[in-house]
Amino acid sequence: MKTILTFYMAFLCLNLHAQNITGTIKNENGEELPYSSVTVKGSGTGTSANGSGRFQLTLPAGNYTLVCQHLGYELSEKKIEVKGNIEVNFILKELNLSMPDVVVKSGGEDPAYKVIRAAIKKRSGYNNEGNSFVADRYGKDIIKLRDLPDKLFGKKIPKKEMSEDGFDSTGKGIIYLSESVSRISLSEPDKFKNEILKSRVSGSNSFGFSFPIFINFYSNNVSVFSSLFGKRGFISPISDNALNFYKYKLTGVFFEDGKMINAISVIPRRNYEPLFSGTINITEDDWRIHSCDLILTKTSQLEILDTLKINQIYGPADDSVWKIKTQYIYLTLKPLKIDLVGNFLSVYSDYKINPEFPKNFFDNTVVKYNADVVSTNDSFWDSIRPVPLEPEEIKDYHVKDSIKEKYSSPEYIKAMRDSAKKYENKGLITKLLLSDYRRTRYDTSGYKITGLKGLLPNLNYNTVEGANLTLVPYYRRKRNERTFYAEADFRYGFSNGHLNPSISFEWDKNVAKPGKKYTSSKFIIAGGKDVRQFSSENPIVPLYNSIGTLFYGENYMKIYEAEFVSIRYKKSFEKGFSFDISSSYEKRIPVNNTTDFTFYKKDFFTPNYPFRLIPSQFPEHKAVLLNAVLSFQGGQKYIEFPKQKARLGSDKAVYSLYYSKGIKNAFGSDVDFDKWEFDIRKNISFKLLGTSNLKIGTGGFLNDKKVFVQDLKHFNGNETRILANPLNGFQLANYYSNSTDADIYGFGFLEHHFNGFLTNKIPFFKKLNWHLVGGANVLYVDKNNNYSELFIGLENILKIFRVDFIAGYSNGNEVKSAFKFGINQNILSMFVKGMTN
């Protein structure tokens, strides 16, 4: 609350006595210089020009010196007297770089290397300098559509109709435009908070992105936006080992306020390394970054984006510390031939170095939106905006805000709902067969959904049921922070004639309001009769089993029927603790093969039970079970919106403890056992060397008086040609071959993604952008029951495919080796969804 009051008092005082200084920045040829920096000399006040070279600045009456900078041009200063609104224009001269009096012998080292070595020595000190601060930020983010294909997923794009949403007849225009004013607080090593004071999104009452992007070239490994764009990070031109990756050329020097600045061209030594190219300007003697204009492309191992350009200008934050004053980021990408371009401008001002933060100021909320953050008031933004809007931005606000009013009218909402009802029936057959048919109805508190899941994804084949189809109708009701979900499953086997119906009811509650502790809870009741795999982890995907049975004669999946009733409650807390408790009654019924149909010539199928574990089919029995899971993952971070909180997650390790008990004689239960397990899961970034995913654990049976095959500890095997989850099973082990009721066992899974490391040095692979992946999995029960495997492969093949070569060892002896193939399920699902919507 104090922050809000301070902001508004400052805003009120400023507008009572302040005047507007506006102007245009051009070069000597009359060309506008976009995103130039304009600062008030001797203060923390500054702004940036827009894409047309226009700037505006609000100052109280008085005398000032304005300093105008643009990369590649001489700094210009103008003394002004502010009595009223004034126009101040700048014409910048192109830098006439001079070469210092340095003699470079033939074959000698370029003078730039001396400067870079000095900057490298200073890097660590400047990286830690003023690492506790508060700063104000103005941000403007724009994403534009430059070109559209005529069709997407085989469907024609209605470009002419898009003109109603502010686009031209070809589909070009601004997709997203937002502005925000925020206060950023940072205290190293890892304390950060971004308070969004005001935000505006064109044509919307949403909050916008409003995330500051600190691109720190004083860091050895530079993170840009997200690891999605570069999993290895990118090597700074002044990193400790930069000389091994870059070549440098001194293009000249220039002077500002009597200080000499070295203009250095940055050149990657090799393509397909995570390296920048462009220009970095380093001050003489103190060897700071003065400014930079650096670029990343696909040959820099840039992912998703085609181009990323970073322009930064630094300046004094106090008498001894320099910080970023303006930062401009330009990016391009062209997914599915949709040509997009983005501009992200940040203007930082009013730095306070090493401030005293209130006690408990830094908590697990890293981004906080004020209660009245959304403002579409033009006069407010005109008075506080440091960067003038361009004509197309003014038009976008006007058009889309008018459209928003239209969309908010009761008549339009009714028309849209009527249109949505018609759309729900469009492509009805395709939705029923391939994806999901649903009807959605909205009201003031939430929505209702009734639907039927796609038929073909629920059509499978096995040797017990033959062809089997599951009809899955469902209902979802969302009301404020509560959700109710009901689902019925009607599974019918066409060979054995068995109908297995079941139903489940689920109540969810998320308490995620500002000022309250975040909690999420779920309560589930289920019952009926269903078909289950012998391992509760369902190691065999039904689709893969269907293909294996029909085309290769391999009936890997072993199933039984269960009449059941279950109850479950799970809850997670703000600090990262969660628990999951469930209890169930099951009557387990054996079933046998009823069909031998296959397209593959084979004399027989294996029996429908884990024949490597038990000599014959298990007896029908009853089981009453109690299961509990306790997990913890520290370091949880949150975004706090005006009316709710959202969890961002954590990069810390996950610790989980599992306990399961079979209760003898309860409701005729035949089981009697106690088993436990503890595991740790962690993703570890090694920056340039790649990323490792690790899972290790141990467990065992405290009591094994009566353990049926379903209740053993099963370690997932994989006999298909498709890669399974690498952290949840063994790729070459036979199904159920290592199941156990031992007192103690241990296991470990390690997978390392090189993310382009090594393969970027191989001519063929570096252009394809294929990446190495490798790892090892191990299991130890005793000397007669142990298994390990090593694997190495290639991933990122056409962005979605992966191929691994695996060698497995059982009890110290090599058992087999094979190639297996994988596919990125997220991309595949996106494609299927695009085809069916």
Side-chain angles (χ1 to χ4, degrees):
M1 188 66 182
K2 183 178 179 181
T3 300
I4 303 173
L5 291 174
T6 302
F7 172 74
Y8 279 116
M9 289 299 292
F11 168 66
L12 181 61
C13 294
L14 182 66
N15 282 277
L16 285 174
H17 305 286
Q19 309 297 330
N20 286 328
I21 298 94
T22 58
T24 303
I25 305 166
K26 297 181 179 181
N27 63 18
E28 292 178 299
N29 297 323
E31 298 168 332
E32 294 138 349
L33 297 178
Y35 306 109
S36 300
S37 171
V38 178
T39 57
V40 178
K41 192 171 184 178
S43 79
T45 303
T47 185
S48 172
N50 64 17
S52 301
R54 289 286 298 174
F55 75 93
Q56 67 183 39
L57 196 60
T58 305
L59 294 172
N63 295 310
Y64 303 94
T65 300
L66 297 185
V67 180
C68 183
Q69 292 174 280
H70 190 91
L71 283 174
Y73 291 83
E74 292 182 12
L75 176 147
S76 177
E77 293 187 0
K78 284 193 176 183
K79 293 183 178 180
I80 60 171
E81 183 180 2
V82 177
K83 294 181 178 179
N85 296 336
I86 59 173
E87 177 92 3
V88 179
N89 297 317
F90 286 92
I91 297 177
L92 302 186
K93 297 180 180 180
E94 191 168 348
L95 272 177
N96 183 16
L97 296 175
S98 60
M99 294 299 293
D101 296 330
V102 177
V103 177
V104 181
K105 297 180 181 179
S106 177
E109 185 178 74
D110 191 280
Y113 286 88
K114 176 185 175 182
V115 177
I116 291 296
R117 287 192 180 95
I120 290 172
K121 288 180 180 179
K122 290 280 191 175
R123 181 202 62 78
S124 178
Y126 289 144
N127 191 42
N128 297 319
E129 180 183 66
N131 55 14
S132 178
F133 66 84
V134 174
D136 292 335
R137 172 186 179 263
Y138 165 81
K140 183 170 70 172
D141 304 330
I142 307 171
I143 300 175
K144 298 180 184 178
L145 183 61
R146 295 194 298 190
D147 194 20
L148 268 178
D150 294 328
K151 292 182 178 180
L152 186 64
F153 294 117
K155 298 178 182 179
K156 188 176 181 180
I157 297 176
K159 296 181 181 180
K160 292 183 179 179
E161 296 177 15
M162 293 173 63
S163 60
E164 297 179 3
D165 294 322
F167 297 92
D168 65 19
S169 58
T170 64
K172 298 177 183 178
I174 295 176
I175 294 176
Y176 176 84
L177 167 62
S178 77
E179 296 177 275
S180 64
V181 178
S182 60
R183 182 156 296 148
I184 299 158
S185 303
L186 186 143
S187 181
E188 293 292 352
D190 57 358
K191 295 177 180 179
F192 173 84
K193 180 169 284 189
N194 180 26
E195 299 170 276
I196 315 298
L197 306 175
K198 284 294 179 182
S199 177
R200 182 182 186 182
V201 178
S202 180
S204 172
N205 286 324
S206 63
F207 309 116
F209 298 138
S210 299
F211 295 122
I213 304 158
F214 284 106
I215 299 178
N216 181 14
F217 288 103
Y218 285 119
S219 173
N220 276 320
N221 191 277
V222 180
S223 177
V224 177
F225 279 105
S226 162
S227 62
L228 290 174
F229 302 130
K231 294 178 182 178
R232 300 172 64 198
F234 299 92
I235 300 171
S236 168
I238 58 170
S239 70
D240 291 343
N241 58 351
L243 295 174
N244 296 324
F245 293 94
Y246 291 101
K247 294 185 290 186
Y248 303 92
K249 181 176 178 61
L250 181 67
T251 56
V253 300
F254 60 97
F255 292 84
E256 287 185 1
D257 288 336
K259 180 179 286 292
M260 189 172 84
I261 299 159
N262 301 277
I264 297 173
S265 180
V266 177
I267 307 159
R269 288 187 179 273
R270 296 171 293 276
N271 284 331
Y272 303 100
E273 293 272 17
L275 303 174
F276 297 92
S277 59
T279 300
I280 187 167
N281 297 323
I282 305 291
T283 58
E284 186 76 11
D285 295 331
D286 53 5
W287 315 113
R288 296 178 185 273
I289 299 176
H290 167 273
S291 52
C292 63
D293 189 10
L294 299 168
I295 190 170
L296 297 168
T297 65
K298 290 295 186 183
T299 58
S300 312
Q301 292 197 318
L302 184 65
E303 297 286 345
I304 301 178
L305 305 177
D306 296 323
T307 304
L308 181 67
K309 185 177 181 181
I310 303 157
N311 182 303
Q312 291 181 338
I313 294 178
Y314 293 70
D318 67 4
D319 293 337
S320 60
V321 177
W322 279 34
K323 291 291 182 184
I324 298 171
K325 289 300 185 76
T326 62
Q327 177 177 269
Y328 169 64
I329 297 173
Y330 170 85
L331 59 84
T332 66
L333 68 160
K334 202 170 184 180
L336 302 173
K337 297 184 178 181
I338 302 172
D339 192 357
L340 299 170
V341 59
N343 299 286
F344 302 88
L345 175 66
S346 294
V347 179
Y348 298 98
S349 61
D350 198 20
Y351 278 97
K352 293 179 177 60
I353 304 300
N354 298 322
E356 289 292 331
F357 292 106
K359 186 178 180 181
N360 299 323
F361 175 79
F362 292 104
D363 51 21
N364 55 13
T365 298
V366 294
V367 179
K368 182 178 180 179
Y369 289 82
N370 284 341
D372 58 348
V373 63
V374 176
S375 174
T376 57
N377 187 294
D378 287 335
S379 59
F380 168 79
W381 286 102
D382 289 343
S383 62
I384 203 168
R385 178 187 293 120
V387 181
L389 292 178
E390 298 182 45
E392 65 171 338
E393 296 165 359
I394 296 172
K395 179 182 177 182
D396 191 73
Y397 272 132
H398 175 73
V399 172
K400 289 183 180 174
D401 286 348
S402 300
I403 293 172
K404 180 183 69 175
E405 293 179 7
K406 171 187 171 183
Y407 286 174
S408 302
S409 67
E411 297 79 12
Y412 185 82
I413 292 173
K414 183 179 183 301
M416 288 300 294
R417 287 177 176 173
D418 292 341
S419 176
K421 290 178 183 179
K422 293 180 181 179
Y423 176 78
E424 287 174 337
N425 293 317
K426 189 176 181 180
L428 177 61
I429 301 300
T430 302
K431 291 177 181 178
L432 284 172
L433 289 177
L434 294 178
S435 59
D436 190 345
Y437 174 71
R438 65 174 65 183
R439 288 180 177 271
T440 306
R441 299 294 179 264
Y442 295 93
D443 54 36
T444 56
S445 62
Y447 60 81
K448 300 175 184 178
I449 297 176
T450 55
L452 179 69
K453 293 186 179 180
L455 298 180
L456 288 182
N458 288 291
L459 176 63
N460 291 290
Y461 184 84
N462 60 63
T463 55
V464 175
E465 301 170 288
N468 58 87
L469 177 66
T470 305
L471 296 177
V472 188
Y474 64 90
Y475 170 80
R476 184 184 300 275
R477 173 66 167 126
K478 170 71 173 175
R479 182 177 293 168
N480 299 322
E481 62 187 24
R482 299 175 184 269
T483 303
F484 171 73
Y485 179 77
E487 178 182 298
D489 292 52
F490 300 95
R491 177 167 175 158
Y492 182 74
F494 290 91
S495 179
N496 66 359
H498 289 197
L499 175 65
N500 291 285
S502 64
I503 191 167
S504 65
F505 302 96
E506 180 180 310
W507 292 265
D508 293 355
K509 181 180 179 182
N510 291 302
V511 178
K513 293 183 178 180
K516 291 187 176 182
K517 296 292 185 181
Y518 176 93
T519 61
S520 174
S521 60
K522 182 176 292 187
F523 180 66
I524 305 170
I525 297 176
K529 186 181 180 185
D530 64 6
V531 176
R532 301 179 174 182
Q533 296 188 43
F534 280 81
S535 170
S536 60
E537 294 189 14
N538 299 316
I540 303 113
V541 178
L543 174 61
Y544 297 166
N545 181 75
S546 300
I547 295 172
T549 304
L550 287 171
F551 295 97
Y552 299 98
E554 301 290 354
N555 59 324
Y556 294 126
M557 192 166 71
K558 308 303 178 185
I559 56 178
Y560 66 96
E561 293 179 347
E563 298 172 0
F564 74 99
V565 176
S566 66
I567 185 170
R568 181 180 181 185
Y569 182 69
K570 57 189 302 186
K571 189 167 185 175
S572 60
F573 300 88
E574 180 162 313
K575 295 296 185 180
F577 285 101
S578 66
F579 67 81
D580 185 345
I581 300 175
S582 63
S583 182
S584 63
Y585 164 85
E586 302 174 5
K587 181 181 178 181
R588 297 164 173 171
I589 305 166
V591 288
N592 296 304
N593 295 335
T594 64
T595 179
D596 59 359
F597 175 79
T598 177
F599 299 122
Y600 181 86
K601 293 181 180 180
K602 187 166 184 177
D603 296 333
F604 67 92
F605 286 108
T606 56
N608 183 50
Y609 55 82
F611 56 89
R612 294 185 178 92
L613 279 178
I614 53 178
S616 60
Q617 187 62 273
F618 74 93
E620 181 179 305
H621 63 276
K622 299 175 182 178
V624 174
L625 306 172
L626 176 65
N627 299 294
V629 182
L630 180 64
S631 294
F632 174 72
Q633 184 182 30
Q636 298 293 331
K637 302 296 182 183
Y638 293 85
I639 300 178
E640 186 173 305
F641 298 102
K643 294 184 179 180
Q644 65 177 358
K645 292 171 72 174
R647 177 176 279 183
L648 290 173
S650 169
D651 59 359
K652 305 294 185 182
V654 181
Y655 303 88
S656 299
L657 177 65
Y658 308 82
Y659 173 74
S660 181
K661 181 173 182 60
I663 304 174
K664 178 72 172 177
N665 296 327
F667 301 100
S669 173
D670 300 302
V671 298
D672 186 0
F673 65 86
D674 295 87
K675 64 179 177 181
W676 66 278
E677 185 172 294
F678 175 76
D679 67 40
I680 302 172
R681 287 162 285 156
K682 172 69 174 171
N683 297 333
I684 307 169
S685 173
F686 294 98
K687 301 296 185 181
L688 293 177
L689 302 181
T691 305
S692 286
N693 304 323
L694 173 69
K695 179 181 177 181
I696 57 174
T698 184
F701 278 75
L702 303 173
N703 158 34
D704 61 354
K705 292 179 180 178
K706 192 64 175 178
V707 183
F708 288 88
V709 63
Q710 289 91 340
D711 303 310
L712 295 171
K713 169 58 185 178
H714 299 291
F715 298 95
N716 292 342
N718 182 14
E719 296 181 61
T720 71
R721 293 160 177 79
I722 307 298
L723 285 167
N725 184 341
L727 294 183
N728 200 39
F730 299 94
Q731 302 297 337
L732 290 182
N734 294 325
Y735 295 114
Y736 304 105
S737 60
N738 298 105
S739 301
T740 184
D741 61 357
D743 295 341
I744 189 76
Y745 57 80
F747 58 86
F749 302 93
L750 173 64
E751 179 184 45
H752 186 75
H753 301 270
F754 289 82
N755 298 333
F757 177 62
L758 297 181
T759 49
N760 64 347
K761 296 175 174 60
I762 305 173
F764 177 70
F765 289 105
K766 68 181 181 181
K767 290 186 177 180
L768 295 173
N769 202 25
W770 293 0
H771 300 165
L772 274 176
V773 60
N777 305 321
V778 346
L779 163 68
Y780 187 84
V781 179
D782 55 44
K783 64 179 181 179
N784 297 316
N785 186 1
N786 59 82
Y787 181 83
S788 60
E789 59 188 20
L790 301 172
F791 61 91
I792 189 167
L794 289 169
E795 61 181 350
N796 205 44
I797 302 171
L798 301 179
K799 299 297 182 184
I800 62 172
F801 297 108
R802 170 174 167 174
V803 180
D804 282 19
F805 176 76
I806 309 149
Y809 302 84
S810 180
N811 302 325
N813 300 311
E814 183 174 1
V815 290
K816 64 178 75 172
S817 59
F819 285 96
K820 295 205 173 187
F821 306 89
I823 187 169
N824 187 314
Q825 295 296 320
N826 292 330
I827 295 178
L828 181 63
S829 298
M830 181 184 71
F831 176 77
V832 171
K833 187 175 182 180
M835 293 295 292
T836 55
N837 285 340

